[in-house]
């Protein structure tokens, strides 16, 4: 570990991650029992070897305790399969006309001519999209509960001097439980109404309520337990990504103008947007991918090692932690030419069609890759296109930075302030 161990890491995670990759190699040891996978190959290896390196066993929204007990493993497998069916790229493409109007509304409502802290309205817009995608006409009733779930998550992950045992009911954990119960109770009413009426819906919840040939009908608790986390995930991580994207539109006006030119072909009525229109935004999607490469919102992924195993040149002892670092893997010159340069064109071939220049881990990979990757890319691409089409963005004048970087739970532009001027 270069430069002083864990205390140095806590002060400057990004800087130490870069130095570790440059000075110590593809895998390096942060401290005893903590390893960092810094390059593409070991990152992919860890994420694909789910048995050797499983995800941490403490979900942010653990199943609520009930007298009926937790859902069985096969019921959880059915719930996961149903979610994945509703979030696959084909399913997202079929509903582009529902996503586009809300991205357009966000752009239309941006106050012009003054500096605006933009992440709160971005998060609200993406929450509306995500919650509607999951619950359709029931989204308005569930959106306030989703906002409270997000707040509970923010409270829970705030830095603390103390590391409390998982069983201890701290105020933050009690607040999380209250919000999770409130969301679950509201969702339970929706599930029972849909099942009793027979109108299950065409959204993701409706997909989960349909019986499958293999598993039959999902029990109510298996449906309810799986949705608090995915509800928050539909807008939390995309909101972090959107901050970096909007900042790059402000800093790279040439790229923003090219996005705006593509977006001019979108329908005047956003509800008429189709998958064909989305395919007509290759440079916009390339810009989104390039920002996600440089600033992956989930820049550090934690995996456990329950048994002794090998990783690169290390013997990883049982009980160790492996930190997978997409941030440094994406800046590996073996994967990307000029890796620190913002270059959306690297994602396009000579004809302007999509290309894949190197390993891309912004959404993870392997068995625990992000379920909502297709939804997130659609949301971010349309939000970027609609914003650039209407406005030229700029940073506030003056010596002070317009945002602060946070790395604790994700890579985000906290307090980001930008100014929008109507594009001439």
């Amino acid at each position: 570990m270069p430069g002083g161990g864990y205390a140095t890491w806590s002060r400057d995670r990004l800087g130490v991650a870069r130095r570790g990759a440059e000075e110590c190699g593809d895998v390096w040891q942060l401290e005893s029992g903590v390893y960092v996978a810094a390059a593409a190959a070991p990152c992919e290896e860890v994420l694909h070897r789910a048995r050797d390196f499983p995800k941490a066993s403490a979900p942010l929204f653990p199943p609520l305790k009930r007298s009926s007990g937790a859902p069985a493993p096969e019921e959880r497998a059915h719930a996961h399969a149903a979610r994945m069916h509703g979030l696959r790229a084909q399913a997202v493409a079929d509903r582009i006309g529902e996503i586009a109007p809300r991205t357009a509304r966000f752009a239309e409502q941006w106050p012009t001519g003054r500096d605006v802290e933009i992440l709160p309205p971005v998060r609200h817009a993406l929450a509306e999209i995500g919650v509607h995608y999951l619950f359709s006409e029931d989204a308005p009733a569930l959106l306030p509960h989703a906002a409270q779930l997000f707040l509970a998550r923010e409270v829970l992950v705030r830095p603390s001097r103390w590391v409390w045992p998982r069983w201890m009911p701290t105020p933050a954990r009690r607040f999380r439980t209250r919000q999770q119960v409130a969301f679950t109770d509201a969702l339970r009413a929706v599930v029972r109404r849909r099942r009793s009426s027979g109108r299950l819906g065409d959204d993701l919840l409706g997909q989960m309520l349909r019986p499958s040939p293999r598993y039959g009908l999902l029990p109510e608790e298996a449906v309810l337990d799986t949705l608090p986390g995915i509800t928050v995930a539909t807008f939390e991580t995309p909101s972090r990504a959107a901050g970096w994207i909007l900042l790059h539109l402000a800093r790279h006006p040439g790229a923003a103008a090219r996005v705006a030119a593509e977006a001019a072909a979108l329908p005047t009525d956003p509800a008429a947007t189709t998958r064909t229109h989305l395919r007509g935004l290759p440079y916009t999607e390339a810009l989104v991918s390039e920002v996600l490469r440089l600033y992956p919102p989930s820049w550090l992924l934690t995996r456990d090692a329950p048994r002794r195993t090998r990783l690169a040149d290390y013997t990883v002892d049982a009980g160790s932690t492996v930190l997978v670092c997409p941030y440094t893997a994406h800046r590996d010159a073996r994967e990307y030419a000029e890796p620190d340069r913002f270059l959306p064109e690297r994602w396009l071939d000579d004809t302007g069609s999509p290309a894949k220049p190197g390993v891309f881990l912004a959404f993870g990979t392997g068995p625990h890759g992000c379920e909502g990757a297709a939804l997130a890319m659609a949301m971010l691409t349309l939000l970027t296109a609609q914003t650039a089409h209407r406005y030229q963005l700029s940073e506030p004048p003056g010596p002070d930075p317009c945002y602060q970087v946070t790395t604790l739970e994700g890579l985000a532009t906290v307090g980001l302030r930008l100014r929008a001027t109507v594009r001439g």
Side-chain angles (χ1 to χ4, degrees):
M1 165 63 205
Y6 197 80
T8 304
W9 169 266
S10 299
R11 289 193 298 271
D12 182 15
R13 292 177 176 84
L14 294 181
V16 172
R18 290 294 299 271
R19 293 205 310 275
E22 293 165 0
E23 298 175 17
C24 301
D26 292 354
V27 178
W28 53 276
Q29 193 168 8
L30 176 61
E31 63 176 6
S32 178
V34 180
Y35 301 85
V36 180
C43 284
E44 284 198 304
E45 181 181 353
V46 171
L47 295 176
H48 280 283
R49 287 171 56 188
R51 293 188 179 218
D52 293 329
F53 301 105
K55 288 183 69 175
S57 58
L60 190 64
F61 295 103
L64 297 171
K65 294 180 180 178
R66 300 183 177 95
S67 58
S68 58
E74 61 271 17
E75 293 168 346
R76 292 187 183 279
H78 176 197
H80 179 264
R83 287 200 315 274
M84 291 299 292
H85 187 75
L87 289 166
R88 70 195 193 284
Q90 179 70 32
V92 173
D94 289 341
R95 298 180 65 185
I96 289 298
E98 300 174 44
I99 297 170
R102 289 172 172 82
T103 62
R105 190 181 311 142
F106 160 77
E108 291 166 357
Q109 294 175 350
W110 191 325
T112 58
R114 59 187 177 89
D115 301 335
V116 176
E117 186 174 344
I118 199 59
L119 287 189
V122 165
R123 187 160 47 245
H124 180 75
L126 295 180
E128 282 190 329
I129 296 170
V131 176
H132 178 83
Y133 189 88
L134 299 180
F135 308 115
S136 291
E137 70 274 6
D138 294 302
L142 294 169
L143 185 59
H145 295 291
Q148 288 298 105
L149 282 178
F150 173 80
L151 180 60
R153 184 204 182 286
E154 291 292 284
V155 170
L156 198 65
V157 300
R158 284 174 185 164
S160 172
R161 292 178 58 191
W162 312 104
V163 179
W164 301 106
R166 292 178 182 175
W167 53 264
M168 182 171 289
T170 64
R173 290 170 183 167
R174 292 199 301 270
F175 179 68
R176 173 191 62 186
T177 300
R178 289 197 302 273
Q179 303 312 318
Q180 192 174 346
V181 168
F183 174 85
T184 300
D185 288 347
L187 184 57
R188 188 190 310 277
V190 172
V191 169
R192 290 180 177 178
R193 173 174 51 77
R194 291 194 186 191
R195 280 184 165 168
S196 63
S197 68
R199 296 191 295 272
L200 301 181
D202 296 325
D203 50 21
L204 184 137
L205 177 60
Q207 188 66 47
M208 297 185 71
L209 296 179
R210 286 177 171 78
S212 81
R214 181 175 180 183
Y215 297 103
L217 192 67
L218 261 179
E220 183 178 278
E221 304 304 335
V223 175
L224 297 174
D225 276 354
T226 193
L227 286 172
I230 194 68
T231 298
V232 173
T234 59
F235 61 91
E236 180 208 23
T237 302
S239 296
R240 294 200 297 264
W244 291 107
I245 291 168
L246 296 174
L247 179 63
H248 278 71
L249 290 180
R251 290 182 170 178
H252 300 273
R258 188 167 172 181
V259 171
E262 273 192 348
L266 291 173
T268 304
D269 178 8
T273 307
T274 66
R275 70 183 72 191
T276 302
H277 294 112
L278 191 63
R279 285 198 295 267
L281 302 172
Y283 184 81
T284 307
E285 185 173 335
L287 183 143
V288 170
S289 297
E290 181 70 346
V291 175
L292 290 173
R293 179 188 73 83
L294 287 168
Y295 300 98
S298 299
W299 75 280
L300 199 67
L301 309 173
T302 303
R303 294 295 185 265
D304 297 327
R307 64 182 69 85
R308 195 177 192 190
T309 187
R310 293 284 296 177
L311 178 63
D313 294 330
Y314 282 97
T315 297
V316 179
D317 290 328
S320 296
T321 297
V322 177
L323 303 177
V324 176
C325 190
Y327 178 80
T328 52
H330 287 171
R331 293 169 183 263
D332 187 341
R334 293 167 294 185
E335 296 289 328
Y336 295 95
E338 300 181 89
D340 290 317
R341 184 181 173 194
F342 174 69
L343 189 64
E345 290 79 7
R346 75 173 79 242
W347 296 92
L348 303 172
D349 63 21
D350 292 338
T351 68
S353 299
K356 294 183 179 180
V359 168
F360 187 61
L361 301 172
F363 299 108
T365 188
H368 298 294
C370 176
E371 297 177 22
L375 177 60
M377 281 300 297
M379 294 162 66
L380 293 171
T381 300
L382 288 169
L383 185 85
T384 303
Q386 295 284 2
T387 302
H389 179 56
R390 285 173 172 79
Y391 306 117
Q392 293 174 305
L393 302 184
S394 60
E395 297 178 74
D400 296 330
C402 64
Y403 66 97
Q404 292 182 328
V405 177
T406 182
T407 60
L408 185 61
E409 282 298 311
L411 191 54
T413 52
V414 173
L416 176 65
R417 300 181 68 82
L418 295 173
R419 178 172 296 194
T421 305
V422 175
R423 188 174 289 277

